Amino acid sequence: NACLASPTADTPTVVPVRSLQGHELFHEGLIMEHCAEKSLEDYVRDHCTEGGGAATLDEFVVVRRLIAEILLALDFLHRVKQVVHRDVKLDNVLAVKHQGDVHAKLADFGFSKALQPGPQVPSHAGTVYWWAPEMAAAYTNDETLSTTFEGHLALDIFSLGMLVFALVHGNPYLPLSPRCLGTEVSPDGAACSCQGCSTLGKLSGRFPTELGNASVKDLIRRCVSTDPSRRPMTQELRRHALFTSVFQDERPGVSRMEPAISFAELLSLDL
């Protein structure tokens, strides 16, 4: 039984919410942008090749751009604002159209936390499946997570790796985590055959570019390390081969090259 009053010129996105009688002001609300494409969860379900099947290079281009934009959002939060999101997942990324292309906007900061140098206040937050193993362990043991400034940022990096896996695999994404548990690594350095690597193997041949497939799997593997200190920070991820390499469509009879991602160009878009 409430209605929105008109926004003011000074605060065009903040409006008072009044009762239908028009006199009782009980809180304020934000007017948010309408994202017709809904969340990336919806976008993956509606537009991506289902369940790890062979996808086109066009799909690879879109997925790579979306990953780059989510990374830019986290880079801004972590390095400029010293904020950790703590609930990075497909449902919390909104899809918007700009000049016919789909782009990503990170949303829902309900679990976010402003960080200060030094010891951090213990807490736990996030969503099952997407959260880092150290957060899951704290929740399972009915404890709060006590970690460092960098340890908090590493929570988002793990969730980013899970998001990339789900985005690349397509709906329905696998219930297994692609994180490498390191339980079956051979002493002679042979390829790991643990559950995490087997899960990542589901992405082999996903796109018609072997370099692209290898780059995606390498980025995920780095992000979902069970050791938080080994997860790369956002500035390192921006230099990853997934964004800096040129990719070729390797299908017979197809001659097409996709250039490296220009982060400067993405930042210049008026989304």
Side-chain angles (χ1 to χ4, degrees):
N1 295 326
C3 64
L4 298 179
S6 299
T8 66
D10 293 332
T11 57
T13 61
V14 181
V15 296
V17 183
R18 301 179 183 275
S19 70
L20 288 179
Q21 289 74 28
H23 56 78
E24 182 186 358
L25 178 65
F26 54 93
H27 64 78
E28 292 183 328
L30 289 175
I31 299 178
M32 306 297 291
E33 174 187 2
H34 174 62
C35 297
E37 300 299 318
K38 299 178 283 189
S39 73
L40 275 194
E41 181 87 33
D42 299 297
Y43 183 84
V44 168
R45 184 184 63 246
D46 297 340
H47 299 285
C48 294
T49 304
E50 186 171 341
T56 65
L57 192 67
D58 285 333
E59 193 167 326
F60 172 77
V61 170
V62 172
V63 165
R64 183 172 65 146
R65 181 176 64 244
L66 293 173
I67 296 169
E69 290 173 337
I70 298 166
L71 176 58
L72 279 176
L74 288 178
D75 190 48
F76 176 76
L77 285 179
H78 290 185
R79 295 206 295 152
V80 179
K81 294 299 184 180
Q82 288 79 54
V83 167
V84 59
H85 188 281
R86 299 199 300 179
D87 201 20
V88 176
K89 58 183 180 180
L90 288 178
D91 247 351
N92 284 345
V93 180
L94 301 178
V96 297
K97 281 289 186 70
H98 177 72
Q99 297 181 351
D101 293 327
V102 65
H103 295 271
K105 288 191 174 185
L106 187 61
D108 196 343
F109 293 83
F111 280 139
S112 63
K113 179 178 180 178
L115 302 176
Q116 301 294 332
Q120 305 296 315
V121 177
S123 62
H124 70 241
T127 304
V128 177
Y129 182 84
W130 308 95
W131 58 18
E134 60 270 24
M135 184 67 80
Y139 182 83
T140 300
N141 297 326
D142 197 24
E143 300 172 348
T144 53
L145 177 66
S146 181
T147 186
T148 62
F149 180 95
E150 293 77 11
H152 271 90
L153 301 184
L155 296 172
D156 280 352
I157 300 301
F158 183 93
S159 298
L160 174 65
M162 293 296 294
L163 183 149
V164 172
F165 172 76
L167 182 60
V168 171
H169 183 269
N171 182 71
Y173 44 84
L174 297 178
L176 302 176
S177 170
R179 69 173 180 264
C180 179
L181 304 178
T183 56
E184 298 181 25
V185 179
S186 302
D188 60 0
C192 177
S193 58
C194 74
Q195 177 176 289
C197 291
S198 298
T199 304
L200 275 179
K202 303 294 184 182
L203 303 183
S204 297
R206 174 65 164 160
F207 302 111
T209 161
E210 283 307 308
L211 178 59
N213 293 325
S215 298
V216 164
K217 289 191 289 184
D218 180 74
L219 183 141
I220 295 171
R221 185 178 287 110
R222 291 172 182 268
C223 289
V224 299
S225 170
T226 53
D227 181 353
S229 67
R230 298 186 63 182
R231 296 173 202 153
M233 293 292 99
T234 54
Q235 60 268 38
E236 181 180 346
L237 286 173
R238 287 180 60 168
R239 299 190 294 269
H240 191 272
L242 180 62
F243 310 115
T244 60
S245 299
V246 175
F247 296 97
Q248 179 179 1
D249 193 325
E250 298 171 2
R251 290 175 297 176
V254 178
S255 177
R256 177 182 172 186
M257 306 289 287
E258 281 298 325
I261 287 285
S262 170
F263 285 106
E265 183 177 323
L266 291 178
L267 287 170
S268 70
L269 295 177
D270 183 19
L271 300 178

